[in-house]
Amino acid sequence: MKVLTVIGARPQFIKAAVVSRAFAEHGSSITEVLVHTGQHYDANMSDIFFEELEIPRPDYNLAIGGGTHGQNTGRMIEKLEELMIQEKPDWVLVYGDTDSTLAGALAAVKLHIPIAHVEAGLRSFNRKMPEEINRVMTDHISTMLFAPTGVALKHLEKEGVGSEKIHVVGDVMCDATHYYKSRAQKPAWFDGLGLQTNQFALCTIHRAENTDSPTRMKDIFKGLQLAELPIILPLHPRTRSKLKQSMLAIPGNVHVVDPLGYLEMNWLEANCKLICTDSGGVQKEAYFHGKACVTLRDETEWVELVDRGVNVIVGASPELIAGAMKLNQKLNFDDPLYGDGRSAAKIVDLLLNRSSVNS
Ligand code: UDP
């Protein structure tokens, strides 16, 4: 079986790390051709993940990044189509909801190559998010849809996706957290900040709905200031450039650092008091590490976390952000909401079974 995998953004490197390892465990019966679109290209947004997570070097790097959604997606489709014609894969594998996901899926479907979509069925029901458009479109042209949760399965069924195409396998990010936990690394600068473990918040901000709105950014930082807790903020390049443009002052309790590798990020997740984020992946990682999550969005795809009371949706309201960050409840993180850490192996087995039925 030959699989052409399309990745391009930070969360996709992390998801692909565990699935590529599961492919490799099958030896020569599976050939994976890894294509990096170049969507994320900075060393600390891309190379570090390949090194730390021991992801095989991409077979192709398309170096397409830095443009608008339309420019990037169009250029990716053109290049990916060429590669798919040349490589003739049995499957095209895409992850999540980025422009690279959609480009891979659109190039494949027109060539009649079956698409496997990991993290299928997620919905925010906010069509202003580029991610929502990418995931809805990808789900509807995929042949095998790997849904992380029962909620995702229900979304797909409601939209008329045939249930024979959908497999609830858990979340590969849960696999990644388990696998790399023992290698978590304290950042070299941590002790210099004079912070105690479990007494600081870890924050990430990168969603366009926040970074592209100077008002929301101002309100979020106001909320972080009101929280009166030391906060570590690894700053995404998009957020950094928007902050520079708006000349917004960073409150004194917020320690801005460069984007981190996965192992340092995991150490901070494991050792913080709570997490405050607009990231999809980091909301789940908060749960894996048993930390409360304050979500800087108006909705989330990971609704089971909100239902459990471990995740509070606060949008960009300074009062709600500060209020939620000051809460000190005892929370329950015991239920395995995202599978047993073997999602990647399940995905690979399902692909192999399906391929043997087809051949
Ligand atoms: N992450 C990281 N370093 C950082 C910030 C995030 O390694 O400085 C990891 C994080 O642990 C998670 C993933 O990146 O595994 C989440 O990616 P991101 O927030 O960029 O995307 P999203 O999950 O929102 O699609």
Side-chain angles (χ1 to χ4, degrees):
M1 178 173 78
K2 184 171 187 179
V3 180
L4 186 146
T5 299
V6 182
I7 52 177
R10 175 167 69 186
Q12 294 168 331
F13 307 141
I14 294 156
K15 292 165 198 169
V18 288
V19 179
S20 291
R21 183 171 307 101
F23 279 142
E25 278 165 15
H26 285 266
S28 59
S29 58
I30 302 178
T31 306
E32 183 180 31
V33 178
L34 200 56
V35 185
H36 185 337
T37 61
Q39 189 181 333
H40 282 171
Y41 46 83
D42 294 344
N44 55 13
M45 294 292 290
S46 175
D47 300 355
I48 190 166
F49 296 95
F50 284 83
E51 286 153 26
E52 279 188 342
L53 310 185
E54 295 162 338
I55 307 169
R57 270 179 69 86
D59 297 281
Y60 300 94
N61 191 325
L62 309 184
I64 300 171
T68 63
H69 287 295
Q71 286 166 344
N72 286 348
T73 312
R75 290 169 63 207
M76 285 177 197
I77 293 173
E78 189 180 353
K79 289 277 177 214
L80 287 166
E81 182 182 58
E82 273 171 33
L83 276 182
M84 289 176 195
I85 291 171
Q86 184 186 316
E87 290 286 345
K88 298 184 183 55
D90 300 301
W91 289 95
V92 165
L93 177 63
V94 292
Y95 292 91
D97 53 25
T98 72
D99 290 343
S100 303
T101 316
L102 180 62
L106 282 174
V109 73
K110 300 280 178 76
L111 295 170
H112 304 157
I113 302 169
I115 301 156
H117 185 203
V118 175
E119 210 179 69
L122 269 288
R123 295 292 180 267
S124 65
F125 300 102
N126 175 357
R127 292 267 169 126
K128 289 213 171 112
M129 286 177 73
E131 295 91 343
E132 183 78 352
I133 305 299
N134 292 340
R135 53 171 94 101
V136 171
M137 305 272 290
T138 303
D139 281 340
H140 283 266
I141 54 177
S142 290
T143 303
M144 285 189 94
L145 293 92
F146 297 113
T149 62
V151 174
L153 166 76
K154 283 209 186 94
H155 292 152
L156 293 169
E157 286 178 341
K158 258 200 195 146
E159 290 173 17
V161 177
S163 48
E164 73 288 351
K165 293 183 179 177
I166 313 167
H167 304 271
V168 180
V169 291
D171 196 308
V172 292
M173 291 191 96
C174 178
D175 300 25
T177 300
H178 285 310
Y179 187 86
Y180 294 105
K181 211 174 207 164
S182 60
R183 299 199 213 161
Q185 270 170 19
K186 176 156 76 164
W189 42 259
F190 182 81
D191 289 336
L193 293 181
L195 304 180
Q196 302 300 316
T197 53
N198 296 312
Q199 287 181 18
F200 65 92
L202 176 63
C203 179
T204 74
I205 308 167
H206 77 286
R207 290 254 99 74
E209 71 215 52
N210 287 329
T211 59
D212 293 1
S213 160
T215 316
R216 282 182 77 97
M217 288 295 277
K218 194 164 142 257
D219 286 347
I220 288 173
F221 280 101
K222 180 92 197 136
L224 297 181
Q225 183 175 26
L226 292 174
E228 293 174 339
L229 186 69
I231 295 167
I232 295 179
L233 172 64
L235 206 54
H236 191 283
R238 173 172 41 213
T239 321
R240 186 176 287 279
S241 92
K242 296 281 177 177
L243 278 176
K244 212 168 158 192
Q245 284 166 22
S246 69
M247 298 196 314
L248 191 73
I250 308 287
N253 62 323
V254 177
H255 303 274
V256 172
V257 296
D258 284 335
L260 302 168
Y262 183 74
L263 303 180
E264 291 188 340
M265 185 68 184
N266 264 259
W267 187 89
L268 291 170
E269 287 175 340
N271 288 285
C272 66
K273 178 166 189 252
L274 63 95
I275 288 179
C276 187
T277 189
D278 61 8
S279 158
V282 176
Q283 287 177 63
K284 287 175 287 173
E285 287 170 351
Y287 188 78
F288 303 145
H289 289 286
K291 306 292 170 170
C293 185
V294 175
T295 297
L296 304 167
R297 290 183 50 195
D298 298 329
E299 73 281 305
T300 181
E301 297 78 16
W302 306 102
V303 289
E304 50 287 318
L305 298 173
V306 179
D307 294 345
R308 298 280 152 150
V310 296
N311 185 327
V312 190
I313 304 292
V314 293
S317 151
E319 293 73 28
L320 292 182
I321 294 169
M325 288 180 73
K326 285 179 181 171
L327 284 177
N328 227 343
Q329 292 159 286
K330 181 112 187 72
L331 301 170
N332 177 3
F333 297 93
D334 293 341
D335 292 329
L337 298 180
Y338 298 105
D340 56 5
R342 296 198 64 259
S343 303
K346 287 178 198 159
I347 289 169
V348 174
D349 286 348
L350 285 160
L351 277 170
L352 274 173
N353 285 345
R354 177 66 184 259
S355 294
S356 64
V357 171
N358 284 354
S359 59

